[in-house]
Amino acid sequence: MTSWRPGWGDFPQPLLDFWTERHLCTLTTLRPDGRLHVVPVGVALDHEEQCAWVITSATSRKALNLLERGQVAACAVDGARWSTLEGHGVVVDDAASVARACERYASRYRVPRENPTRVAIRIDVDRFVGSTGLFSAGLG
């Protein structure tokens, strides 16, 4: 396992490729009682905003969890290749942020279905961890 803290201008190309390829992810948040909540999601990186995005409904458990505690991790696996991003997530509902999240989601997955209660989770990434092959030599 290797780890890397984002310097968005010097992103290791194999790691960037991995987070751009279509892989479903799991998102882990903490419930109010401290138990883990893990669900499948799509996660899209945003180099311009230097964050990651998840789209969801305002009443989803993951969104409600983030109102209490912002710790979040998202993991993607492809055979022996895997990566987890760790950071702080916040639920945003302004039209510009939700549109940006949907745009980034569509670039990795597909155009999302209509959802009148959609919000976005903006993840400020503290670090990436993952299989060694996703990181350039010397990082860690």
Side-chain angles (χ1 to χ4, degrees):
M1 180 178 78
T2 304
S3 69
W4 177 72
R5 295 195 184 275
W8 291 87
D10 63 351
F11 217 96
Q13 192 62 49
L15 184 63
L16 178 59
D17 291 345
F18 183 81
W19 280 99
T20 304
E21 297 163 2
R22 188 184 190 283
H23 302 296
L24 293 179
C25 302
T26 58
L27 184 76
T28 303
T29 58
L30 297 172
R31 297 174 189 268
D33 65 5
R35 291 181 300 132
L36 297 174
H37 176 71
V38 183
V39 292
V41 296
V43 177
L45 289 187
D46 186 336
H47 264 67
E48 289 177 23
E49 296 287 328
Q50 298 186 350
C51 67
W53 295 103
V54 173
I55 56 176
T56 191
S57 295
T59 57
S60 70
R61 180 77 260 160
K62 59 189 160 290
L64 296 173
N65 288 346
L66 289 172
L67 296 175
E68 298 245 346
R69 299 180 178 170
Q71 298 97 331
V72 64
C75 182
V77 178
D78 179 39
R81 297 184 315 151
W82 66 274
S83 178
T84 299
L85 61 81
E86 302 170 345
H88 182 82
V90 1
V91 177
V92 293
D93 61 2
D94 65 282
S97 294
V98 173
R100 178 67 181 190
C102 288
E103 171 190 301
R104 299 307 309 143
Y105 178 92
S107 73
R108 187 174 189 197
Y109 300 101
R110 60 176 170 73
V111 175
R113 65 175 171 74
E114 280 297 312
N115 179 351
T117 65
R118 177 169 288 130
V119 295
I121 297 171
R122 179 191 169 107
I123 303 171
D124 292 318
V125 181
D126 295 328
R127 75 177 185 148
F128 290 85
V129 295
S131 52
T132 304
L134 296 180
F135 299 84
S136 300
L139 294 175

